[in-house]
Amino acid sequence: MTTTTTTLATTTIKTRATKRKLKKKALGYLLDLKRGLTCSVSYILKKMLKEVRNHSVVSEFFLLGLSADPRFQALLFVLFLMIYLLTLLGNLLLLLLIRMDARLHIPMYFFLGQLSFLDLCHSSVTVPKLLETLLSEKKAISVEGCLTQVFFVFATGGTESCLLAVMAYDRYVAIRSPLLYGQKMSRQLCRRLIWGSWGLAFLDAFINILVALDLDFCEGQNIHHFSCELPSLYPLSCSDVSASFTALLCSSILHFFGNFLLIVLSYVRILSTILSISSTTGRSKAFSTCSSHLTAVSFFYGSGLLRYLMPNSGSTQELVFSLQYSVVTPMLNPLIYSLKNKEMKAAMRRMLQKYF
């Protein structure tokens, strides 16, 4: 009996020791995972972009998309500087207004605030470098800097595509179930939709940039564009671009066209709901809540899809489409949503009366 008890005690001690070791190992794995997850995107990009130097002879590109005339460049610099300042002012003012006015603390304006923040990010990816190249004689950008810009153009553009789809669904819920709108579009759901939009877009950007890192750049250095976009790099590559092009095509179909399809489906449901409303006043009110969003979708997808569907040639039309969705649209969105929205105009008046 004593021997059996001693054996059981020894076995129990060994089992506990084994469990402690397993817990320590598991804790170590979790800590390693946490360190990996908490690495910043910029750090990860730097580590990846170092690989480019190993198999590319070219170390920098030259952005030659806009005019070479110094006098015209000075005019363009003033123009784009004004647009960028208006973009910052308009979107920051919209964010401040939504933050300070309690009447705007509903899902629709929560998403609008996210769109304003995204427009600030999307514009800041390209416009500062555009302004720099207009003043610079060399107009150079490093290969690493170019691919970093490609990544963030993908990430911010992809997030905006997802966010516009989320906002279309939000409008459908508001028109379909106005009395249950606050309950269905809960704060927790709104946050999940936002994090999901950012997560999907950054995943898509990582996949595309990982494939693009295999491209070799040997001779060509002139990019006939004002910023780095993936289609503009294909003519400069001396290696096979089919893998990168396939990844770009798949992400365009699944991500951008997928979100566009969700927007179309949401508006089909919205239209059927509006047509079932008996009163003319109710119909016009329902239509008015969607007009701003439809305008923003038209600007973003109209220019963005045409840019990526066109063959890369450095043509004036191609540059105009790129300027539209990366420079002009972020400036116009605050105007679109404030001028066509009675609640936003009322909130603006309240803020002006309070502080001035």
Side-chain angles (χ1 to χ4, degrees), residues 136-170:
S136 171
E137 290 185 7
K138 196 176 181 183
K139 306 185 188 309
I141 183 172
S142 66
V143 174
E144 295 89 342
C146 188
L147 289 173
T148 301
Q149 192 178 58
V150 168
F151 172 81
F152 283 107
V153 166
F154 255 104
T156 53
T159 306
E160 185 156 350
S161 174
C162 290
L163 185 57
L164 289 171
V166 168
M167 293 173 78
Y169 174 71
D170 171 71

Side-chain angles (χ1 to χ4, degrees), residues 29-98:
Y29 292 144
L30 286 172
L31 287 172
D32 290 340
L33 180 61
K34 184 180 179 181
R35 291 190 194 101
L37 291 174
T38 52
C39 285
S40 65
V41 172
S42 60
Y43 175 77
I44 295 170
L45 279 175
K46 284 178 183 177
K47 296 290 285 184
M48 291 193 304
L49 292 172
K50 282 182 181 179
E51 298 298 322
V52 178
R53 298 175 183 173
N54 296 334
H55 53 81
S56 287
V57 176
V58 172
S59 61
E60 61 183 7
F61 298 124
F62 302 105
L63 299 170
L64 306 177
L66 299 178
S67 174
D69 185 350
R71 289 174 295 180
F72 193 55
Q73 284 181 1
L75 290 174
L76 288 175
F77 175 82
V78 173
L79 174 63
F80 289 126
L81 179 62
M82 292 298 296
I83 290 174
Y84 186 54
L85 291 175
L86 287 172
T87 301
L88 295 178
L89 179 63
N91 285 289
L92 286 172
L93 185 61
L94 208 62
L95 281 168
L96 181 65
L97 198 62
I98 293 169

Side-chain angles (χ1 to χ4, degrees), residues 243-301:
S244 180
F245 179 77
T246 303
L248 176 62
L249 183 64
C250 290
S251 67
S252 298
I253 293 172
L254 295 175
H255 196 92
F256 290 94
F257 282 101
N259 285 323
F260 184 69
L261 181 61
L262 290 175
I263 292 171
V264 171
L265 291 174
S266 294
Y267 273 101
V268 168
R269 300 294 296 272
I270 286 171
L271 185 61
S272 65
T273 303
I274 290 174
L275 293 176
S276 66
I277 299 173
S278 56
S279 66
T280 308
T281 307
R283 286 183 183 180
S284 62
K285 187 177 179 181
F287 272 120
S288 66
T289 61
C290 301
S291 60
S292 298
H293 180 258
L294 276 172
T295 307
V297 169
S298 301
F299 274 118
F300 180 79
Y301 275 98

Side-chain angles (χ1 to χ4, degrees), residues 15 20 93 171 182 217 241 261 305 309 319:
T15 304
R20 279 197 294 271
L93 185 61
R171 292 298 81 214
F217 302 103
V241 301
L261 181 61
L305 287 179
L309 287 174
L319 291 173

Side-chain angles (χ1 to χ4, degrees), residues 8 101 116 172 174 193-194 248 259 305 315:
L8 286 171
D101 198 311
S116 292
Y172 166 68
L193 289 170
I194 292 299
L248 176 62
N259 285 323
L305 287 179
S315 64

